[in-house]
Amino acid sequence: QAKNDGRNRHSFFERRMDEAIRMRKLVADDLRDAITGDGLELHYQPIFAADRDEVVALEALVRWRHPEKGLIPPDRFVAMAEQSGLILPLGDWVLRRACNDARRWPGLRVAVNVSPIQFRQRDYVETVGRILEETGFDPTRLELELTEGVVVEDADAAEAAMMRLRAKGVNLALDDFGTGYSSLIYLRRFAFDKIKIDRSFLESMEATGESAILVHSIVHLGRALGLTVTAEGVETREQQRFLQALGCHQLQGYLLARPMPASDIDALLSARRHAGAA
Ligand code: C2E
Ligand code: MG
Ligand code: MG
Ligand code: MG
């Protein structure tokens, strides 16, 4: 009896495992089709100068337009894309689309998120160079958003790749700043132009005085190192005023604008131009 139970349990877990693997493969196949077909969309979130009412950049954020499940946010498929290797064609698609779209928004930078898996490819810098050439996009208007994950594995290789990107004129931002474990060391060693303070700091700022102190310190540290400091996840006027008072350079968040399709960015920019001219 006991033996039988054990066997049943074993096969039960095996079946569950098979199912999980099959599911993952199904989802990966779906995503592969989305990348090669036209199942992916890029939305853009405006980033504002903190001290004046001006859009200075747009962050490209990928979405998956699934035929049955609707619009799927990146948190639900980027990890799977990284595990399956699909992040490489996905990342190339994102960069190419962002460069193509952003040509019609002169004067604005476009920020593109880069997975550590992409960045670790030996030919990553060449890939970026090729897409810039193909699309004719001005490299000084491109900002790549990297995370600490990019530099932890092979710091020497990462440093070399970053220098080569900088040499092309590409800007580099350290995304989700403060969530890793040794960000301060990275700031000194690596050639970042910008840090983006992680949204979690702002979320907890009202609740605990400690978060406000941390945000304060990060802004001052960034400024002292000559970096541009952007805060993400700005949702309230209080947060906006606090960050402005600290001298944070750029603000991004639902209070100011949400991510939106490229056509809505066109409308927003033209409405703002008209309002400015009036
Ligand atoms: P991220 O790069 O830190 O992007 C900021 C995220 O915060 C976006 O979520 C944005 O919509 C959200 N956000 C901005 N302002 C606010 C706010 O005021 N309140 C709240 N609650 N959220 C705000 P999204 O678009 O869901 O993207 C999530 C993450 O997925 C990104 O975080 C990034 O790590 C990743 N991701 C997005 N697009 C790409 C991509 O093309 N490639 C890669 N590798 N990762 C991507
Ligand atoms: Mg980002
Ligand atoms: Mg972030
Ligand atoms: Mg993030």
Side-chain angles (χ1 to χ4, degrees):
Q1 180 70 47
K3 210 173 167 188
N4 228 344
D5 272 4
R7 196 162 51 228
N8 281 339
R9 200 157 47 233
H10 184 66
S11 60
F12 170 75
F13 282 122
E14 263 185 359
R15 264 186 278 121
R16 290 289 296 266
M17 283 277 282
D18 285 349
E19 200 180 300
I21 290 167
R22 209 171 42 244
M23 276 300 293
R24 211 176 308 155
K25 199 180 163 309
L26 271 179
V27 177
D29 288 345
D30 258 19
L31 180 59
R32 185 174 298 112
D33 290 346
I35 298 167
T36 50
D38 57 1
L40 297 182
E41 284 180 20
L42 270 193
H43 286 196
Y44 295 90
Q45 186 177 26
I47 300 174
F48 292 78
D51 61 355
R52 57 193 189 280
D53 183 27
E54 191 183 316
V55 178
V56 291
L58 301 163
E59 179 172 4
L61 297 157
V62 71
R63 275 95 180 85
W64 178 4
R65 176 72 68 183
H66 194 279
E68 287 115 46
K69 294 176 198 135
L71 203 61
I72 308 179
D75 287 336
R76 300 244 311 273
F77 65 88
V78 165
M80 183 272 284
E82 290 178 332
Q83 282 152 21
S84 60
L86 287 173
I87 195 68
L88 299 178
L90 185 152
D92 288 358
W93 182 89
V94 167
L95 182 59
R96 188 172 290 115
R97 170 55 61 88
C99 289
N100 274 324
D101 282 346
R103 277 183 311 191
R104 66 178 194 263
W105 302 315
L108 297 187
R109 283 194 185 175
V110 67
V112 174
N113 292 284
V114 178
S115 159
I117 313 267
Q118 291 176 269
F119 197 83
R120 271 181 225 140
Q121 301 300 304
R122 270 177 202 288
D123 60 354
Y124 180 68
V125 179
E126 282 78 18
T127 301
V128 173
R130 183 164 41 77
I131 293 175
L132 284 168
E133 254 170 51
E134 258 174 51
T135 56
F137 191 65
D138 173 5
T140 64
R141 284 177 55 212
L142 176 65
E143 191 163 271
L144 297 177
E145 296 197 357
L146 313 177
T147 53
E148 277 191 28
V150 156
V151 288
V152 286
E153 197 117 299
D154 184 347
D156 291 334
E159 201 176 7
M162 288 176 69
M163 295 311 288
R164 290 173 59 209
L165 287 166
R166 295 270 314 234
K168 288 184 191 295
V170 173
N171 305 283
L172 302 174
L174 181 54
D175 203 355
D176 303 338
F177 183 81
T179 55
Y181 62 96
S182 49
S183 306
L184 294 184
I185 296 169
Y186 293 142
L187 278 192
R188 206 183 53 190
R189 169 159 184 192
F190 297 97
F192 288 105
D193 305 280
K194 172 189 276 197
I195 52 179
K196 297 189 77 174
I197 304 175
D198 193 68
R199 184 153 59 79
S200 58
F201 288 102
L202 293 201
E203 263 170 21
S204 52
M205 216 166 63
E206 258 97 74
T208 74
E210 270 170 15
S211 289
I213 293 171
L214 283 174
V215 171
H216 180 107
S217 309
I218 295 172
V219 173
H220 284 269
L221 173 82
R223 290 186 63 100
L225 291 173
L227 300 167
T228 300
V229 184
T230 301
E232 45 176 37
V234 181
E235 292 183 353
T236 67
R237 293 267 168 233
E238 291 68 39
Q239 292 170 341
Q240 181 185 32
R241 274 194 289 269
F242 178 77
L243 291 158
Q244 283 168 334
L246 288 181
C248 185
H249 299 101
Q250 297 176 356
L251 307 180
Q252 175 179 5
Y254 292 172
L255 174 71
L256 304 161
R258 288 189 175 248
M260 59 187 94
S263 54
D264 289 6
I265 293 288
D266 294 333
L268 178 131
L269 292 176
S270 103
R272 289 177 60 88
R273 256 194 313 275
H274 283 107

Coordinates of all heavy atoms in Angstrom, one line a residue, residues 56-93:
V56 N 11.8 65.4 -21.8 CA 13.2 65.3 -22.3 C 13.5 63.9 -22.9 O 14.5 63.8 -23.6 CB 14.2 65.6 -21.1 CG1 14.1 67.1 -20.8 CG2 14.0 64.7 -19.9
A57 N 12.8 62.9 -22.5 CA 13.0 61.6 -23.0 C 11.8 60.7 -23.0 O 10.8 61.1 -22.4 CB 14.1 60.9 -22.2
L58 N 11.9 59.6 -23.7 CA 10.8 58.6 -23.7 C 11.4 57.2 -23.4 O 12.3 56.9 -24.0 CB 10.1 58.6 -25.1 CG 9.5 60.0 -25.5 CD1 9.3 59.9 -27.0 CD2 8.2 60.3 -24.8
E59 N 10.8 56.5 -22.4 CA 11.3 55.2 -22.2 C 10.4 54.2 -22.9 O 9.2 54.2 -22.8 CB 11.2 54.8 -20.7 CG 11.7 53.4 -20.5 CD 11.9 53.0 -19.0 OE1 11.6 53.8 -18.1 OE2 12.4 51.8 -18.8
A60 N 11.0 53.3 -23.7 CA 10.3 52.3 -24.5 C 10.1 51.1 -23.6 O 11.0 50.6 -22.9 CB 11.2 51.9 -25.7
L61 N 8.8 50.7 -23.5 CA 8.4 49.6 -22.7 C 7.6 48.6 -23.5 O 6.6 48.9 -24.1 CB 7.6 50.1 -21.5 CG 8.4 51.0 -20.5 CD1 7.4 51.9 -19.7 CD2 9.3 50.2 -19.6
V62 N 8.1 47.3 -23.5 CA 7.5 46.4 -24.4 C 6.2 45.8 -23.9 O 6.1 45.6 -22.6 CB 8.6 45.2 -24.8 CG1 8.8 44.3 -23.6 CG2 8.1 44.4 -26.0
R63 N 5.3 45.4 -24.7 CA 4.1 44.7 -24.3 C 3.8 43.6 -25.4 O 4.2 43.8 -26.5 CB 2.8 45.7 -24.4 CG 2.6 46.5 -23.1 CD 3.3 47.8 -23.2 NE 3.1 48.6 -22.0 CZ 3.9 48.6 -20.9 NH1 4.9 47.7 -20.9 NH2 3.7 49.3 -19.9
W64 N 3.1 42.6 -24.9 CA 2.8 41.5 -25.8 C 1.3 41.5 -26.1 O 0.5 41.3 -25.2 CB 3.3 40.2 -25.2 CG 3.0 38.9 -26.0 CD1 2.4 38.8 -27.2 CD2 3.2 37.6 -25.5 NE1 2.3 37.5 -27.5 CE2 2.8 36.7 -26.5 CE3 3.8 37.1 -24.3 CZ2 2.9 35.3 -26.4 CZ3 3.9 35.7 -24.2 CH2 3.5 34.8 -25.3
R65 N 0.9 41.7 -27.3 CA -0.5 41.8 -27.7 C -0.9 40.3 -28.0 O -0.7 39.9 -29.2 CB -0.7 42.7 -28.9 CG -2.1 42.8 -29.5 CD -3.0 43.5 -28.6 NE -2.7 44.9 -28.5 CZ -3.5 45.8 -27.8 NH1 -4.5 45.3 -27.1 NH2 -3.1 47.0 -27.7
H66 N -1.4 39.6 -27.0 CA -1.8 38.2 -27.2 C -3.2 38.1 -27.8 O -4.1 38.8 -27.3 CB -1.7 37.5 -25.9 CG -1.7 36.0 -26.0 ND1 -2.8 35.3 -26.1 CD2 -0.6 35.1 -26.0 CE1 -2.5 34.0 -26.2 NE2 -1.2 33.9 -26.1
P67 N -3.4 37.2 -28.8 CA -4.7 37.1 -29.5 C -5.8 36.7 -28.5 O -6.9 37.2 -28.7 CB -4.5 36.0 -30.5 CG -3.2 35.3 -30.2 CD -2.3 36.4 -29.5
E68 N -5.5 35.9 -27.5 CA -6.6 35.6 -26.5 C -6.5 36.3 -25.2 O -7.5 36.7 -24.6 CB -6.6 34.1 -26.2 CG -7.1 33.2 -27.3 CD -6.0 32.3 -27.9 OE1 -5.3 31.7 -27.1 OE2 -5.8 32.2 -29.1
K69 N -5.2 36.5 -24.8 CA -5.1 37.1 -23.4 C -5.0 38.6 -23.3 O -4.8 39.2 -22.2 CB -3.8 36.4 -22.7 CG -4.0 34.9 -22.5 CD -2.7 34.3 -22.0 CE -2.7 32.8 -22.2 NZ -1.4 32.3 -22.7
G70 N -5.0 39.2 -24.5 CA -4.9 40.7 -24.5 C -3.5 41.2 -24.3 O -2.6 40.5 -24.6
L71 N -3.4 42.4 -23.8 CA -2.1 43.0 -23.6 C -1.4 42.5 -22.4 O -1.8 42.7 -21.3 CB -2.3 44.6 -23.6 CG -1.1 45.4 -24.0 CD1 -0.7 45.2 -25.4 CD2 -1.4 46.9 -23.8
I72 N -0.2 41.9 -22.6 CA 0.5 41.3 -21.5 C 1.7 42.2 -21.1 O 2.5 42.5 -22.0 CB 1.0 39.9 -21.8 CG1 -0.2 39.0 -22.3 CG2 1.6 39.2 -20.6 CD1 0.1 37.6 -22.7
P73 N 1.8 42.6 -19.8 CA 2.9 43.4 -19.4 C 4.3 42.6 -19.4 O 4.2 41.4 -19.2 CB 2.5 43.9 -18.0 CG 1.6 42.8 -17.5 CD 0.9 42.2 -18.7
P74 N 5.4 43.3 -19.5 CA 6.7 42.7 -19.6 C 7.1 41.8 -18.3 O 7.7 40.8 -18.5 CB 7.7 43.8 -19.7 CG 6.9 45.0 -19.3 CD 5.5 44.8 -19.6
D75 N 6.6 42.2 -17.2 CA 6.9 41.4 -16.0 C 6.4 40.0 -16.1 O 6.9 39.1 -15.4 CB 6.3 42.0 -14.7 CG 7.0 43.3 -14.3 OD1 8.2 43.4 -14.7 OD2 6.4 44.2 -13.6
R76 N 5.4 39.8 -17.0 CA 4.9 38.4 -17.2 C 5.6 37.6 -18.2 O 5.3 36.4 -18.4 CB 3.4 38.5 -17.5 CG 2.6 39.2 -16.4 CD 1.6 38.3 -15.7 NE 0.7 37.6 -16.7 CZ -0.4 38.0 -17.2 NH1 -0.8 39.3 -16.9 NH2 -1.1 37.3 -18.0
F77 N 6.5 38.2 -19.0 CA 7.1 37.3 -20.1 C 8.6 37.6 -20.3 O 9.3 36.8 -20.9 CB 6.4 37.4 -21.4 CG 6.4 38.8 -22.0 CD1 7.4 39.2 -22.9 CD2 5.4 39.7 -21.8 CE1 7.4 40.4 -23.5 CE2 5.4 41.0 -22.4 CZ 6.4 41.3 -23.2
V78 N 9.2 38.7 -19.7 CA 10.6 39.0 -20.0 C 11.5 37.9 -19.3 O 12.4 37.4 -20.0 CB 11.0 40.4 -19.5 CG1 12.5 40.5 -19.4 CG2 10.4 41.4 -20.5
A79 N 11.1 37.4 -18.1 CA 11.9 36.4 -17.5 C 11.9 35.1 -18.3 O 13.0 34.5 -18.5 CB 11.4 36.1 -16.1
M80 N 10.7 34.8 -18.8 CA 10.6 33.6 -19.6 C 11.5 33.7 -20.9 O 12.1 32.8 -21.4 CB 9.2 33.3 -19.9 CG 8.9 32.0 -20.7 SD 9.0 32.3 -22.5 CE 7.4 33.1 -22.8
A81 N 11.4 34.9 -21.5 CA 12.2 35.2 -22.7 C 13.7 35.1 -22.4 O 14.5 34.6 -23.2 CB 11.9 36.6 -23.2
E82 N 14.1 35.5 -21.2 CA 15.5 35.3 -20.8 C 15.9 33.9 -20.7 O 16.9 33.4 -21.1 CB 15.8 36.1 -19.5 CG 15.7 37.6 -19.7 CD 15.9 38.4 -18.5 OE1 15.6 37.9 -17.4 OE2 16.4 39.6 -18.6
Q83 N 15.0 33.1 -20.0 CA 15.3 31.7 -19.8 C 15.4 30.9 -21.2 O 16.1 30.0 -21.3 CB 14.2 31.0 -18.9 CG 14.5 31.4 -17.5 CD 13.2 31.4 -16.7 OE1 12.2 30.8 -17.1 NE2 13.2 32.1 -15.5
S84 N 14.5 31.3 -22.1 CA 14.4 30.5 -23.4 C 15.4 31.1 -24.5 O 15.4 30.5 -25.5 CB 13.0 30.6 -23.9 OG 12.6 32.0 -24.1
G85 N 16.0 32.2 -24.2 CA 16.9 32.7 -25.2 C 16.2 33.7 -26.1 O 16.8 34.4 -26.9
L86 N 14.9 33.7 -26.0 CA 14.1 34.6 -26.9 C 14.3 36.1 -26.7 O 14.0 36.9 -27.5 CB 12.6 34.3 -26.8 CG 12.1 33.0 -27.4 CD1 10.7 32.7 -27.1 CD2 12.3 33.0 -28.9
I87 N 15.0 36.4 -25.5 CA 15.3 37.8 -25.2 C 16.2 38.4 -26.3 O 16.1 39.6 -26.5 CB 15.9 37.9 -23.8 CG1 15.8 39.3 -23.3 CG2 17.3 37.4 -23.7 CD1 14.5 39.9 -23.0
L88 N 17.0 37.6 -27.0 CA 17.9 38.1 -28.0 C 17.1 38.7 -29.2 O 17.2 39.9 -29.5 CB 19.0 37.1 -28.4 CG 19.9 36.7 -27.2 CD1 20.9 35.7 -27.7 CD2 20.6 37.9 -26.6
P89 N 16.3 37.9 -29.8 CA 15.5 38.5 -30.9 C 14.5 39.5 -30.4 O 14.3 40.5 -31.1 CB 14.7 37.3 -31.5 CG 14.8 36.2 -30.5 CD 16.1 36.4 -29.8
L90 N 14.0 39.3 -29.2 CA 13.0 40.3 -28.6 C 13.8 41.7 -28.4 O 13.3 42.7 -28.8 CB 12.5 39.8 -27.3 CG 11.4 40.6 -26.6 CD1 10.5 39.7 -25.8 CD2 11.9 41.7 -25.7
G91 N 15.0 41.6 -27.8 CA 15.7 42.8 -27.6 C 16.1 43.5 -28.9 O 16.1 44.8 -28.9
D92 N 16.5 42.8 -29.9 CA 16.8 43.4 -31.2 C 15.6 44.1 -31.7 O 15.6 45.2 -32.3 CB 17.3 42.3 -32.2 CG 18.7 41.8 -31.9 OD1 19.3 42.3 -30.9 OD2 19.2 40.9 -32.6
W93 N 14.4 43.4 -31.6 CA 13.2 44.0 -32.1 C 12.9 45.3 -31.4 O 12.5 46.3 -32.1 CB 12.0 43.0 -32.0 CG 10.7 43.5 -32.5 CD1 10.2 43.4 -33.8 CD2 9.8 44.3 -31.8 NE1 9.0 44.1 -33.9 CE2 8.7 44.6 -32.7 CE3 9.7 44.8 -30.5 CZ2 7.6 45.4 -32.4 CZ3 8.6 45.6 -30.2 CH2 7.6 45.9 -31.1

